[in-house]
Structure formats: C-alpha cells, structure tokens
Amino acid sequence: MAEALLQVEGLSKRFGGVVASDGITLEIPKGELHAIIGPNGAGKTTLITQLAGELASDAGRVRFEERDITTLPTWRRSQLGLARSFQITSLFLDFTALDNVALAVQAHAGHSFHFWRGARGEPALRQPARAALARVGLAERADMLVSRLSHGEHRQLEIAMALATSPRMLLLDEPMAGMGPDESARMVKTLRELKRDLTILLIEHDMEAVFALADRITVLVYGRIIASGTPEAIRANADVRQAYLGEQEEAQGKSVERGAANG
C-alpha cells in the first residue's frame, strides 16, 4: 500500500445512548479514492464531520500527513490541505459562480467575507477561482448567478469551492444526492478526473458510481466497520451483501452489478 495520507485510529462518538462512530480505524493512502458506504444511520456523515473537525470525537486519533490533527479546528485542517463538501449545499445564490469560488479562495487565505466586494476585482482571487471552475466543468457558467444553475451544477460548484483551497484531500458527502442520471454521469466524470491528482474520501449512496470510481470501499453499519477492501472483495462479502448491498440491489435494480460491469 502507498504511504498513508490519512490515518484514523479508534475514532468514536456517542450521542447519548447512540454510538455513531464505534472505534473506527482506517488508512487512506495518497492518490486513493476511498468510498464509505452503509445504510441510513450507519454513521457515515458523523465520521466525515469528525474528520473535518466540525465535531469533536469522544475517543481516537486522526493523523493527516503523519501530523496529529485530532484537536485541530476545521480552518486549520483546511490550511493543511483537508477540504470538505457537504451533503446539503450552502451557496450564495445571488452571487455568480465565480464570486462564490473567489470567496472560498479569500476565506482560505484568512480574510473575512466582509471584504467580498474586493474579491470581484482581485486577480489573485479570481484567477484560481476560474481554474477551479474549469476543473469541474463550469468554466462557461462562471458569470452566471448561482440561483440560475441546476442542482447538479450546484454540487459541481461546491466541489470547485473546495478545490479553491488547494487541498491535498477531498472529503465528499454524497455529491450525487438528488441528481438525475445525466447529472450523476457528469459528476462521475469529474471525480474520475480529480482522482488523478487528489486523494478523495467519498460518501455516496449511488452504488453504480461507487463501484465505478472507488479503489477501496469501507462499509459502516451502526457506526462500526464490517468490511473494507477492493470493490471486488466488498461485492463478494456475504456479510456486506446481507447488511447492505442486497437491500441496495433490490432498491436500485441491480445497480451494483451494472456498476461493476462499467467499472
């Protein structure tokens, strides 16, 4: 295995009597696209929120590039190269796509959003913003108001905002949520291109996309890892099929097999 970029050791989180993360341990090597899958309530979003620093863990450690970041706040993790996109987008709808990404560049540099007007005329902010938009296929939408973009384009824009922080690793929380087939196909294409340069941790319910993209897959059930391995190993794992994949196949019309064939 390549050198680990992210190392998680015994990460745990409780909410009263509910164990959302139960001693999670995993390593993600540089250059890998690692997918986290599991049924609703498995603890996937809790885990990614812990990794991003938005939720303090009750136990365990997180190391990024061999540095212990367990107690670091979100903004320090971002500065070190760990960037997150959210399951639900949070965008400035009355600004252009370019304005939104320029603000992300500005915030990453340590400036307040209070100075957003300056971002519109600052080449040092707009040039990397345009480059990020181009990477997700939104170059031609740069000057369009976000309110006029489609749902799929909102998700692409959010990833562009994460890219604007010059990350070494992306934490993506269901980037294809709510998308139709065409939009999902475009997102798969975008992520396939991004994985050439970035390490990616992907939470996603679209099994066809997961099996087409992932180098390795980890399966969570009730906050605990029940399996982790290659897509082929996960697809063949009887415990995984019983706990999750069988249910997904029935709901999605055997999409796992289609994804495997396409991958």
Side-chain angles (χ1 to χ4, degrees):
M1 184 180 293
E3 179 184 353
L5 183 65
L6 182 74
Q7 297 170 293
V8 181
E9 301 174 9
L11 209 63
S12 298
K13 183 64 183 180
R14 278 183 180 270
F15 296 100
V18 176
V19 181
S21 299
D22 191 359
I24 294 173
T25 295
L26 60 87
E27 290 190 356
I28 301 178
K30 292 179 180 178
E32 180 173 274
L33 192 151
H34 193 113
I36 305 287
I37 66 172
N40 290 331
K44 303 182 298 296
T45 294
T46 297
L47 172 60
I48 208 170
T49 303
Q50 290 173 274
L51 298 179
E54 294 150 5
L55 181 65
S57 300
D58 296 328
R61 300 175 63 189
V62 180
R63 297 180 65 85
F64 185 67
E65 290 196 311
E66 300 187 357
R67 174 173 181 166
D68 193 327
I69 64 170
T70 307
T71 61
L72 293 185
T74 301
W75 67 271
R76 282 292 293 128
R77 299 187 195 206
S78 176
Q79 286 187 334
L80 293 173
L82 193 62
R84 177 187 180 180
S85 78
F86 290 84
Q87 184 178 15
I88 301 174
T89 57
S90 179
L91 304 169
F92 294 98
L93 299 180
D94 294 330
F95 290 3
T96 67
L98 182 61
D99 288 338
N100 273 262
V101 184
L103 284 170
V105 177
Q106 188 180 50
H108 183 68
H111 301 296
S112 169
F113 277 74
H114 176 72
F115 301 106
W116 67 269
R117 291 184 183 277
R120 286 184 164 165
E122 178 55 60
L125 300 178
R126 296 176 74 78
Q127 289 174 0
R130 287 191 182 278
L133 287 169
R135 291 188 73 183
V136 301
L138 289 180
E140 295 182 357
R141 302 290 203 183
D143 298 316
M144 182 175 289
L145 291 179
V146 173
S147 60
R148 297 180 58 192
L149 298 178
S150 70
H151 171 73
E153 289 170 336
H154 283 181
R155 306 316 301 258
Q156 290 173 279
L157 176 58
E158 191 182 37
I159 292 177
M161 293 172 70
L163 292 174
T165 66
S166 301
R168 293 180 55 75
M169 183 172 185
L170 287 177
L171 306 175
L172 303 181
D173 192 358
E174 296 193 33
M176 282 162 267
M179 288 187 179
D182 291 343
E183 289 180 324
S184 293
R186 284 194 292 272
M187 181 61 76
V188 168
K189 180 176 182 293
T190 295
L191 296 183
R192 185 174 283 121
E193 292 173 353
L194 291 178
K195 69 179 286 190
R196 298 173 184 170
D197 305 311
L198 293 169
T199 305
I200 300 174
L201 178 64
L202 172 69
I203 290 176
E204 185 53 57
H205 278 293
D206 185 332
M207 290 297 98
E208 187 170 353
V210 167
F211 278 85
L213 288 167
D215 298 304
R216 284 195 304 146
I217 300 171
T218 291
V219 185
L220 284 183
V221 176
Y222 297 122
R224 181 176 297 176
I225 294 176
I226 66 166
S228 189
T230 65
E232 293 76 15
I234 294 300
R235 188 168 53 250
N237 187 297
D239 291 337
V240 173
R241 296 184 69 87
Q242 180 177 358
Y244 183 55
L245 288 184
E247 168 190 325
Q248 288 293 306
E249 289 170 4
E250 181 178 355
Q252 298 184 21
K254 305 294 183 179
S255 64
V256 173
E257 284 83 353
R258 293 202 306 271
N262 294 335

